[in-house]
Amino acid sequence: MISRLSHASLSFKANEPAISPREAYDSKLAQNSQIAQNQNRIIQNLPATKNNQVPMQGSGQKLDVIA
């Protein structure tokens, strides 16, 4: 005859993650959105510092090609 387990507190559950996959996804999405907003702010501030830069050769002008 098989005897019953003597430990009533014995559990065979797997370790469950602390947060659900949906919460992890939403958290990552919010983090990426915040990073994008920060990058957009940086880009909006670039024209103020861009005036001191030398433009790339050929940008904004027509080049004559001699063959």
Side-chain angles (χ1 to χ4, degrees):
M1 182 165 200
I2 299 173
S3 64
R4 293 190 175 264
L5 292 174
S6 61
H7 300 290
S9 64
L10 194 61
S11 175
F12 294 100
K13 281 187 176 180
N15 290 336
E16 296 179 5
I19 65 173
S20 71
R22 171 55 67 184
E23 289 173 345
Y25 174 80
D26 289 342
S27 172
K28 193 64 171 175
L29 198 63
Q31 181 184 10
N32 288 347
S33 176
Q34 186 177 17
I35 290 171
Q37 288 174 356
N38 289 341
Q39 292 298 323
N40 284 338
R41 263 189 247 120
I42 291 171
I43 288 177
Q44 287 174 354
N45 292 333
L46 274 181
T49 60
K50 191 176 179 182
N51 293 335
N52 297 337
Q53 295 178 353
V54 176
M56 287 178 46
Q57 181 180 1
S59 65
Q61 54 185 321
K62 184 176 178 182
L63 297 178
D64 292 329
V65 178
I66 300 172

